[in-house]
Amino acid sequence: MRVPLIAGNWKMYKTIAEAVEFVVRLKPLVTAADHCEVVVAPPFTALRAVADAAKGTNIAVAAQDMHWDKEGAHTGDISAAMIAETGATHVIIGHSERRQDHAETDEQVNRKIKAALTTGLTPIVCVGETLVEREAARMEEVLRRQFQGGFAGLTPPEFSRIIIAYEPVWAIGTGRTATPEMAAESHRFLRGLVRQSLGETLAAQVRILYGGSVKPDNIRGLMAQDGIDGALVGGASLKPDSFAAIVNYLRS
Ligand code: PEP
């Protein structure tokens, strides 16, 4: 039984004060949401304050990235232990904006996943093809490469702690959502990759979120698809009302 998860990725939005105000306003809107897990991913600067504000609620906190080393000369980076110390429990890894803006590779994604798991953080690992790749019918090839590189060398117990987010890059921040059927097809393909390399039990167990212009008015159709286990939401997660409407998709 896969418990759905709805996560909000705030990217480089919200000061500490704005982030805390968001949590204060979100809390009463999602207290009754026992059908899914709720996660918000503020910028690094607000992690501690958001984790404190969310203490004792059903809202968990994620970082948006991390370095794989425990410590070292990596200006501007933070480690898994530093994230865990804030009270965050999850970390987004391999977001397409990291892959594009910072040339992040599958090998780096793999190192980050391993470091996150060692520290007890739950990785939310993003994969997805660009528009050029989709139009060239290379979606499966790209997902296979990201899957094999990103998840290389993980034992079944390690893999069981991972959440995958399928985010077609052409649907992120563009207003173009993959249709529920397109998303479900990619999710089926990804689950098939898990089945081939790690077996049926993990394939049935792994949660695969969809991300890419998810909004209150399309979440229900996406969640109705078999194999879509939640959403990673960017733009529509920035306002408590709209994020809560996505979390509460069963009631919309
Ligand atoms: C994201 O950043 O992960 C994302 C899916 O963004 P948006 O919902 O704005 O497309």
Side-chain angles (χ1 to χ4, degrees):
M1 175 59 182
R2 301 188 298 265
V3 179
L5 186 149
I6 306 287
N9 172 18
W10 295 352
K11 312 192 182 194
M12 200 173 71
Y13 291 97
K14 297 193 189 298
T15 61
I16 295 174
E18 289 164 348
V20 170
E21 190 199 333
F22 178 102
V23 176
V24 170
R25 288 179 55 200
L26 182 70
K27 273 196 251 185
L29 304 177
V30 300
T31 34
D34 51 10
H35 60 285
C36 71
E37 293 173 18
V38 182
V39 178
V40 293
F44 288 145
T45 47
L47 279 176
R48 181 59 176 256
V50 168
D52 285 349
K55 223 171 249 165
T57 74
N58 57 340
I59 304 166
V61 180
Q64 298 174 16
D65 182 40
M66 53 167 274
H67 198 280
W68 55 84
D69 276 346
K70 278 193 179 137
E71 58 186 4
H74 303 298
T75 303
D77 281 317
I78 75 169
S79 71
M82 292 169 187
I83 291 167
E85 190 183 33
T86 67
T89 49
H90 294 63
V91 57
I92 298 171
I93 294 176
H95 191 278
S96 62
E97 285 152 15
R98 301 292 314 173
R99 293 179 189 259
Q100 283 180 340
D101 300 353
H102 301 271
E104 200 164 291
T105 64
D106 294 324
E107 200 226 325
Q108 291 171 333
V109 167
N110 183 249
R111 294 171 82 172
K112 291 181 184 197
I113 293 172
K114 288 175 177 164
L117 290 171
T118 303
T119 313
L121 293 172
T122 300
I124 301 174
V125 184
C126 303
V127 294
E129 79 286 359
T130 64
L131 184 59
V132 172
E133 290 162 344
R134 174 160 279 261
E135 286 178 342
R138 292 182 50 218
M139 181 268 282
E140 294 190 356
E141 171 203 326
V142 171
L143 293 184
R144 183 178 287 109
R145 189 199 70 224
Q146 291 175 339
F147 181 88
Q148 289 174 345
F151 298 123
L154 294 183
T155 62
E158 285 170 340
F159 188 85
S160 71
R161 293 166 49 206
I162 282 173
I163 296 163
I164 299 176
Y166 168 62
E167 298 210 308
V169 181
W170 48 272
I172 296 181
T174 58
R176 280 180 68 165
T177 325
T179 62
E181 293 73 22
M182 281 160 91
E185 185 196 349
S186 300
H187 284 224
R188 264 195 303 280
F189 179 73
L190 283 164
R191 209 174 291 284
L193 292 175
V194 179
R195 188 175 298 113
Q196 279 161 29
S197 55
L198 292 141
E200 184 56 47
T201 306
L202 281 174
Q205 196 180 300
V206 65
R207 287 183 288 181
I208 307 180
L209 316 181
Y210 170 76
S213 297
V214 173
K215 306 271 183 280
D217 61 3
N218 60 25
I219 182 69
R220 223 183 145 97
L222 289 161
M223 292 305 292
Q225 292 289 327
D226 219 23
I228 298 187
D229 306 314
L232 180 54
V233 188
S237 74
L238 291 171
K239 296 229 159 62
D241 288 353
S242 114
F243 186 56
I246 294 172
V247 169
N248 295 318
Y249 62 90
L250 287 177
R251 286 192 257 141
S252 61

